[in-house]
Amino acid sequence: MRVKVTMRCNECKQRNYNTMKNKKNSPDKLEMNKHCPFCKKHTLHTETK
């Protein structure tokens, strides 16, 4: 049930992180505050395919 997802910065649109999620427990897109090395600050990252 766990799938690999890629996290993308909402400000610069760079794909920075890979993570796993359980589709059964969280069917919606993931959103996390993570550090973006391109923006050099903490920004909202959302799930992409």
Side-chain angles (χ1 to χ4, degrees):
M1 285 309 267
R2 294 187 71 78
V3 293
K4 189 174 181 181
V5 295
T6 304
M7 304 296 282
R8 184 188 71 172
C9 177
N10 284 359
E11 290 189 19
C12 67
K13 309 298 185 209
Q14 292 285 326
R15 294 180 178 185
N16 300 326
Y17 293 97
N18 293 320
T19 188
M20 303 287 281
K21 85 165 189 177
N22 189 331
K23 276 191 158 182
K24 186 178 179 183
N25 294 342
S26 55
D28 301 332
K29 288 193 173 191
L30 282 179
E31 289 189 343
M32 298 177 163
N33 279 320
K34 310 269 300 167
H35 183 267
C36 178
F38 300 98
C39 298
K40 296 190 172 107
K41 58 183 174 180
H42 283 83
T43 58
L44 187 67
H45 284 65
T46 56
E47 172 188 338
T48 61
K49 292 292 179 187

